[in-house]
Amino acid sequence: NNHFLLMDYRQTLIQKYLTLFFSLMALFLVGRVYFFIDFMPRNFWEKTTWHEVLHVFFSALRYDLSISSAFIFFPVLGTIFLIPFPKKIIETWGSVCFWCIQICLYFSSILILVSHYFFYYYSDHFNIFFWEFWENWENSKLVFWSFFYELPLVNLCLSVLGFLVLINILPRILFPLTISISDIFSKKISLILIPILLLLGVRGTF
């Protein structure tokens, strides 16, 4: 009985990892769609087809899959290798991995927003800032502090709030879906299949 309880606990732990994996993939997708809509030229659809857009998004999905799989692969692999060890050790390992992945979700959201608003503002101003940094520090400071006047701070605050909501809501929405998917396979098969699929995901081979 204890053995089956430990197997159930490990499977639940891996399901939580996979939920965070899907959450990370969803964050990347939301960030890319947000970037696409915000910076799409007015005459974009006159020169571009849906097929080309979908092709670009599909190509970007491979990079998202590779990064997300790499983050989740080692926690899953560690959980499987720790099967012979006591539950206390696995609980400690699970807690450490869970918080590391949570930090990864927040850090990824920050990178998405930074890259978004860097492109919004510093795509036009960064060269000025860079050269003025070496030639005239006072002018460089003016460029830097103009960030707070020219950047849409309301949109920025709403974006931050939106991503915070997503980070907290996505795992709750995706966890039941992850359970239903993992229940398709037996516990032993899923413990073998999931690391293999993640390893393929790290390579982005599809």
Side-chain angles (χ1 to χ4, degrees):
N1 290 334
N2 288 334
H3 175 73
F4 287 113
L5 288 174
L6 286 173
M7 287 292 291
D8 287 337
Y9 176 76
R10 292 179 181 95
Q11 188 183 31
T12 302
L13 199 57
I14 292 175
Q15 287 170 348
K16 289 181 179 179
Y17 295 152
L18 291 177
T19 300
L20 294 174
F21 164 80
F22 290 123
S23 299
L24 190 57
M25 290 285 293
L27 280 178
F28 287 142
L29 179 61
V30 169
R32 188 166 292 106
V33 171
Y34 180 34
F35 190 94
F36 173 73
I37 293 173
D38 207 12
F39 299 111
M40 181 175 59
R42 293 182 178 179
N43 61 342
F44 179 80
W45 294 112
E46 297 175 6
K47 303 177 181 179
T48 312
T49 64
W50 274 103
H51 175 75
E52 291 171 325
V53 173
L54 291 175
H55 178 72
V56 170
F57 270 80
F58 180 76
S59 299
L61 181 67
R62 296 178 61 181
Y63 293 102
D64 297 344
L65 178 65
S66 181
I67 294 171
S68 302
S69 299
F71 277 120
I72 306 299
F73 178 72
F74 292 104
V76 170
L77 196 65
T79 303
I80 294 172
F81 279 136
L82 290 174
I83 284 177
F85 290 86
K87 184 179 178 181
K88 187 67 177 179
I89 295 176
I90 300 177
E91 286 178 345
T92 304
W93 168 258
S95 297
V96 171
C97 291
F98 179 80
W99 284 110
C100 286
I101 297 171
Q102 283 285 357
I103 292 171
C104 170
L105 287 175
Y106 282 98
F107 185 69
S108 299
S109 298
I110 291 171
L111 285 181
I112 290 170
L113 291 172
V114 168
S115 63
H116 186 97
Y117 286 100
F118 174 87
F119 186 83
Y120 180 94
Y121 179 76
Y122 279 112
S123 59
D124 297 326
H125 297 78
F126 184 73
N127 286 332
I128 299 172
F129 172 77
F130 180 79
W131 292 112
E132 291 290 350
F133 178 83
W134 300 105
E135 296 177 6
N136 189 325
W137 173 239
E138 292 300 320
N139 288 344
S140 180
K141 285 196 294 185
L142 290 175
V143 175
F144 176 79
W145 289 111
S146 66
F147 173 88
F148 298 98
Y149 296 100
E150 298 193 30
L151 196 69
L153 293 180
V154 174
N155 289 346
L156 176 59
C157 293
L158 291 175
S159 300
V160 171
L161 180 62
F163 272 92
L164 287 175
V165 171
L166 280 176
I167 290 173
N168 288 280
I169 287 181
L170 279 174
R172 298 179 184 180
I173 296 174
L174 294 172
F175 187 61
L177 178 63
T178 305
I179 293 175
S180 62
I181 294 173
S182 62
D183 285 343
I184 297 173
F185 306 98
S186 67
K187 297 175 183 177
K188 293 183 178 179
I189 292 176
S190 62
L191 290 177
I192 298 172
L193 187 61
I194 289 172
I196 294 174
L197 291 176
L198 288 174
L199 188 59
L200 292 174
V202 171
R203 297 189 60 193
T205 50
F206 64 88

